Amino acid sequence: MNTDKTREARLRRAAHKQGLHIAKLRRFEPGYGWYLVVDDSSNAVVSRTWTT
């Protein structure tokens, strides 16, 4: 059984392999969710609505 922490770590590793990183927001933002997926090379937001 995977905990949320384990799932988050696995997703961070998968994103890193694709040249992305996952940024966790300090507070919930409507329309954004709790996390952002960001492209490492351009620092552009790839996905704004990804939540666990």
Side-chain angles (χ1 to χ4, degrees):
M1 187 158 94
N2 292 329
T3 64
D4 288 338
K5 196 171 194 177
T6 304
R7 182 184 303 151
E8 184 177 338
R10 187 176 62 229
L11 291 170
R12 286 183 186 278
R13 284 191 302 271
H16 180 72
K17 289 179 182 179
Q18 296 177 23
L20 306 170
H21 72 270
I22 297 172
K24 187 172 184 180
L25 300 174
R26 294 181 186 203
R27 63 186 174 100
F28 184 81
E29 293 288 336
Y32 288 91
W34 285 107
Y35 296 90
L36 298 174
V37 179
V38 181
D39 184 4
D40 285 336
S41 62
S42 65
N43 211 27
V45 175
V46 176
S47 175
R48 295 187 237 176
T49 57
W50 180 72
T51 57
T52 60

